[in-house]
Amino acid sequence: MVCALCSAVCIGAASVLQAVAARATPPGTGSGVDVALMLRVLRQWRYLVGLALDAVGFALQIVALLTIPIYAVEATQAGSLAVTAVIAAPVLKVRLRASEWTAVTVVCAGLAMIGLSVGAEGDSEGPPALPYALLGTAFAVLLAGAVAGRLPGRARALVLGFGAGTGFGVVSVSVRLIDDLAPSALAANPAVYALLLAGGTAFLLLTSAFQRGSVTTATAGMVVGETIGPAVVGVVWLGDRTREGLAVPAAVGFAVAVAGALALARFGEAAADAVPDGTSPAPSRGD
């Protein structure tokens, strides 16, 4: 749980840096899967520092996924928005309303409830078809992202965000299905390909969401996509459980943490008004 919380801190800080870099990058094609946009944004040092923090956060997330249930890890990742909000307030001069400070408190309370009730990760490998289902989901996210950029306004932002969240969710579940790191075993495991495809696609979609459209809507979609589905998979097929007699507090804590994160969704674009001097943010029809 400590690793999951530290991962959330890294990812929350990275979001601020990546939002600044994405908004300062000229727009690309109308597709949500815009590789050229990713190449341009990689020239921004802030985005590179954000990626480094994401890498540290992902490593900590893997440790957490191999130790505690998926629902606890994913609720904590959604809680990274609380970190982003707290960092944005002093660093980017973003004013937090009283309701948003309340949401930060709610997220912390929800995560505390999960931390007190979380059990060990499940020991089930799930049905044999699960790795292939993850790979199929990763391809579906890629296809959805390819057309989402051409949708109007909030529909575009919602699909991009939900697709990114679903991709990150596929990554989380795939980690649990990789139990043999021998090269031959990795090459034969469809969960490895699902992880790589879903992770890369999710980053592309999230970058597009930061760069254009209503990122508040996109972030809300991402929170839903990365929390609910993986939590269900973990409980139903992978055997994730709580400590004995604490299922209700865990469920309440999960719901409270996700609800608080949704209330802080606008901090997915915390840096929208903090573009560095000398650059111009791309125009956004959705905001």
Side-chain angles (χ1 to χ4, degrees), residues 12 14-20 22-23 80-82 84-85 88 206 209-211 214-220 222-223 261 264-272:
S15 294
V16 176
L17 294 169
Q18 289 168 339
V20 171
R23 285 300 180 111
S80 66
L81 281 172
T84 301
L206 189 58
F210 276 150
Q211 202 273 340
S214 175
V215 188
T216 298
T217 303
T219 303
M222 183 183 70
V223 169
L264 293 168
R266 81 179 181 99
F267 287 97
E269 55 173 345

Side-chain angles (χ1 to χ4, degrees), residues 5 27 38 64 105 113 117 134-135 153 165 172 194 207 227 229-230 236 262 267 287:
L5 291 170
M38 177 62 78
T105 304
M113 294 176 68
S117 57
L134 293 174
L135 185 57
S172 296
T207 300
T227 55
V236 175
L262 288 173
F267 287 97
D287 286 334

